Structures are given as C-alpha cells and as structure tokens.
Amino acid sequence: TLCCCAMASEQTCRKVPFTLLGSGGVGAALLKAIVGARELHDTSYGLRFCAEAVCDSSGIAKTTDGELSDEAIAAILAHKAGGGKLADLVLSGVTITAKSADVATSAFLEAQVEREGGMLIDCTATGDTIPALLATAAAGGRVVSANKKPFASDYNAFKALVRRAAAPGTVRFESSVGAGLPVIAALQRTIAAADPVSSISGSFSGTLGYVMSGLQEGRPFSEVVLTAKDL
C-alpha cells in the first residue's frame, strides 16, 4: 500500500501495519519510539509503521480507520501509565473490545490477530501469546517478539516458530534475550557455517547484569532490586 507521507509529500512511503500485544513498560516504550521516529522512518526508509490495534490482557483498542493516530496512541499510553486497563478506556474514534470473563486470554488474543501478511509484535511476558504467534507465522505473517516465554517454555511452539524463522523477515526474537546483544544472530551464523558450538556461558539478562554490577559496587541487594524495578 502506498501513501503520501506528511513529512515528504513528494515521496511515497510504504505502510507497515502491526498489532501490538502488551502495552506495559516495553510495549509503551516501543510505541513512543515509533511515534518519535516518524521523520526518520519516512526520509531514510520510506516506511510508516501503523498501529492497527493495541492489546492487553483485558481488551483491545483499534479504529475503523485502520490506523490508530499518534494522538490516540498518546492517550492509550497515558491511560496505561496511570494504571488503567484497555477495557476501561473511553476514547473518541477508538473501538474498545473487552475480554469476557469466560474467555481465556490466549484465545482472546488469537482471535484478534490479522493473519494475512500482517505483523504481530509481542511485548508481553506471558505464554498466552503463543497461539497468536503461531497463527500469524503459519499464515505467512511476520512475528516480532521481545517475550521470551514462547521460545523458552513450550518446546513444540519453539520448534514451530524457529522453523518459520528460517524464512527471511518472518519471525524475529533477538530482543527476547541478552538485551541489545546480537546473541541469537551470532549463534545462528556460527551454526550455519558448520562451526560446532561446544559450550555457551554468560549472563544473558540485562536486569541480572545490572543487579550483579550493583552488588559488586557494594550496594545493598534490596536497594539494587528496587532501583532496577523503577528503571
């Protein structure tokens, strides 16, 4: 789909629609980064990332226009930052679908997924997203995950997702481990070069690394953990 971008009316940009699962700390940071980098995406890459829907465990926010405006995204972020649930949000131009009490969260999230060529971004910390990720990948859509649960809990789900990851741009989960370190890509390239891996050791959690560094500095464990949580 081609559209005229506001930042460069003479340049066409490609819309990249996505559905976001999880609008807490990580999901909120992602939305802020996307909105804050509109000009960069436009001028450097000719892309516009369009939030078709934002979900949490209580409900989903979407619009009949096909794309949540930046103003709507800001309102959603403010509502979530104040401790609110999407099911309780009232916002002009935005449709809220609340999850029924008798419906499992996994089934609810899977039912909301656009499966034909869309992008599903998982910024939750739950295994409830696994059916939605599998459905998206099976339908040829793209999966981006910062959630380690789908890749470290159900081995069958892991195998299915990683098998799809062999197709370029289909499933990516680098940010699910090691913070900004390209741990998964480095390992995959090593294996692809038929270079055997005899052992792996390290601290692959950014939070644990922060805590250990604080303890090395002589700070109390309780203080370091509370600071890490605040950050």
Side-chain angles (χ1 to χ4, degrees):
T1 302
L2 296 180
C3 68
C4 293
C5 294
M7 300 305 304
S9 58
E10 296 181 358
Q11 177 184 358
T12 57
C13 70
R14 181 167 62 89
K15 284 190 175 183
V16 181
F18 68 89
T19 293
L20 174 64
L21 305 181
S23 49
V26 177
L30 175 63
L31 289 175
K32 290 177 183 177
I34 289 175
V35 172
R38 291 289 193 203
E39 183 175 357
L40 173 65
H41 296 160
D42 175 9
T43 58
S44 297
Y45 304 103
L47 298 174
R48 179 178 177 83
F49 292 95
C50 306
E52 290 189 327
V54 175
C55 311
D56 68 8
S57 59
S58 74
I60 177 172
K62 62 174 63 175
T63 174
T64 55
D65 297 333
E67 175 185 355
L68 291 167
S69 67
D70 289 351
E71 292 75 18
I73 290 174
I76 290 171
L77 293 179
H79 178 74
K80 292 289 294 183
K85 298 180 179 180
L86 286 180
D88 302 325
L89 177 66
V90 178
L91 188 62
S92 177
V94 175
T95 300
I96 304 297
T97 303
K99 182 182 79 69
S100 301
D102 60 342
V103 176
T105 300
S106 57
F108 173 75
L109 294 177
E110 182 184 7
Q112 309 304 325
V113 172
E114 173 55 56
R115 303 186 184 187
E116 296 182 2
M119 178 185 289
L120 185 64
I121 303 176
D122 184 0
C123 287
T124 71
T126 173
D128 287 336
T129 60
I130 292 176
L133 302 187
L134 290 172
T136 299
R142 289 168 289 176
V143 169
V144 179
S145 180
N147 177 13
K148 61 175 65 69
K149 291 291 181 67
F151 304 93
S153 54
D154 185 331
Y155 186 55
N156 289 327
F158 169 80
K159 289 194 296 182
L161 288 168
V162 171
R163 187 162 57 245
R164 294 286 178 180
T170 303
V171 179
R172 291 293 179 266
F173 52 104
E174 189 74 66
S175 59
S176 65
V177 63
L181 296 174
V183 176
I184 296 172
L187 184 58
Q188 287 176 331
R189 289 167 184 163
T190 299
I191 294 173
D195 193 358
V197 177
S198 58
S199 66
I200 299 174
S201 64
S203 176
F204 302 114
S205 166
T207 303
L208 286 178
Y210 178 86
V211 171
M212 295 301 105
S213 296
L215 294 178
Q216 285 181 325
E217 295 169 359
R219 297 165 59 194
F221 179 74
S222 57
E223 175 190 314
V224 179
V225 171
L226 288 174
T227 304
K229 181 178 183 297
D230 291 338
L231 292 173

